[in-house]
Every structure is written in C-alpha cells, then in structure tokens.
Amino acid sequence: MARVFRPTVRAAILLAAVLIFVAVGATAPTESVLVVEDAETGERYLTEPVNDGSTVALEYTHSVEKSRVYDEYRVDNRTLVNTRMEFESYGWGLPARANVTTVDGALVYDPSEPITELRSLSVSPGRIAGHTLIVDGRRYDLVAMTNASDVRIYVERRSLIELIL
C-alpha cells in the first residue's frame, strides 16, 4: 500500500514547491516607481518607473525672490538623496552660507556629500511658483496634475503581481 501513495506524495511535494516558487516570484520586488500622491487622500497622480541613480528634480519660482530654484535628487533604493541646488538669488530657505559656484548666471550648490536624504518629500505645489517635477528629463506640471494640492513624493518597489494587476 505504501507504493500507491509515493507518487501522490511526490506530486504533492512537487506541486507545493511550484506554488512556493510562483508565490515568491510574484511577490518579490521587481520594479521601482516614483509615486506622487495626494497628501490627504492618498490618490495617486503619477507612478513613473525609476532606477537607482535616476534623477528626480523640482523646479519652481521662489515665492519672495521671484527667481528660479532647482532641487535635484538621486534615487538610491527607496531614498531620495538631495545632491544639488541651483538658484538665482539668495532668499528664505536657500543656503546663504553654502559654498556655491556661479554657472551660467545661477548659483550652484553641488556639495561632495548629500544635502539631505529623504524617504518621502512633501511638496505644496503653488500656482505662482509653478512647480515642475522632472524625472529623468521628463517634465510634469505638478500644479496642473494635482490642482495645487499638497503631495507626497516617494519611491516604491512593486512586485510582479502588482504589475500584472
């Protein structure tokens, strides 16, 4: 009688192994995306594929100085690493004591160490500031996309099953 059950046990073990393999493969993170979501409701306005080393930037007009500001971040796993700032004049919130260089009329703060590292970035897109999100060179009008609603920007890892659904 033991011989009758051996093929059944082997088949059950093989089926269990295949199911475990499929489950692990389907839930393992396979893609990173930059997410822009409403800070209050969680509604997603944008999910854009990114890789380690991708560049994410915010460009806007400084509210007091009325001059261009550019904040650049590098994607490092699920962290946004602020690596560079460009601005045209000193004003509130800009690094007045930083060692800057002048490039094409802009003050550039490009330190050897990260300015800051963030798991998420909160932004209040302003109609006057005209916030633009730039992801690997692709530009998005953050004000129009969100109707000037506060957003949270972060990097998320998605699994194969999430990509399929």
Side-chain angles (χ1 to χ4, degrees):
M1 200 184 246
R3 289 184 172 211
V4 174
F5 291 109
R6 276 200 177 137
T8 306
V9 171
R10 284 186 187 145
I13 291 171
L14 180 61
L15 178 62
V18 168
L19 289 174
I20 290 170
F21 179 75
V22 168
V24 169
T27 59
T30 59
E31 179 186 52
S32 291
V33 291
L34 184 77
V35 176
V36 178
E37 72 179 17
D38 189 283
E40 287 185 28
T41 67
E43 175 188 350
R44 290 189 173 194
Y45 298 113
L46 178 72
T47 55
E48 183 69 22
V50 291
N51 298 305
D52 278 356
S54 285
T55 300
V56 175
L58 283 174
E59 187 175 57
Y60 57 95
T61 300
H62 191 278
S63 61
V64 175
E65 298 298 314
K66 304 296 184 216
S67 60
R68 177 184 169 269
V69 177
Y70 174 86
D71 291 321
E72 185 174 280
Y73 299 83
R74 180 187 73 245
V75 173
D76 185 5
N77 194 11
R78 293 181 57 202
T79 302
L80 294 169
V81 181
N82 189 195
T83 57
R84 178 184 176 99
M85 292 181 74
E86 296 177 13
F87 44 100
E88 295 174 355
S89 61
Y90 288 102
W92 188 89
L94 298 173
R97 292 193 167 103
N99 185 16
V100 299
T101 57
T102 303
V103 179
D104 296 328
L107 301 167
V108 178
Y109 180 41
D110 193 6
S112 58
E113 296 293 320
I115 299 167
T116 190
E117 298 182 18
L118 305 168
R119 291 294 264 180
S120 70
L121 175 62
S122 296
V123 179
S124 296
R127 295 187 195 289
I128 294 172
H131 286 84
T132 299
L133 176 68
I134 306 164
V135 182
D136 286 331
R138 294 177 303 280
R139 300 176 71 84
Y140 301 93
D141 182 339
L142 206 52
V143 178
M145 176 191 312
T146 67
N147 195 27
S149 297
D150 292 350
V151 295
R152 195 169 77 93
I153 301 171
Y154 60 95
V155 177
E156 173 182 89
R157 301 275 297 160
R158 296 197 304 188
S159 67
L160 182 59
I161 196 81
E162 291 170 312
L163 293 172
I164 293 169
L165 298 176

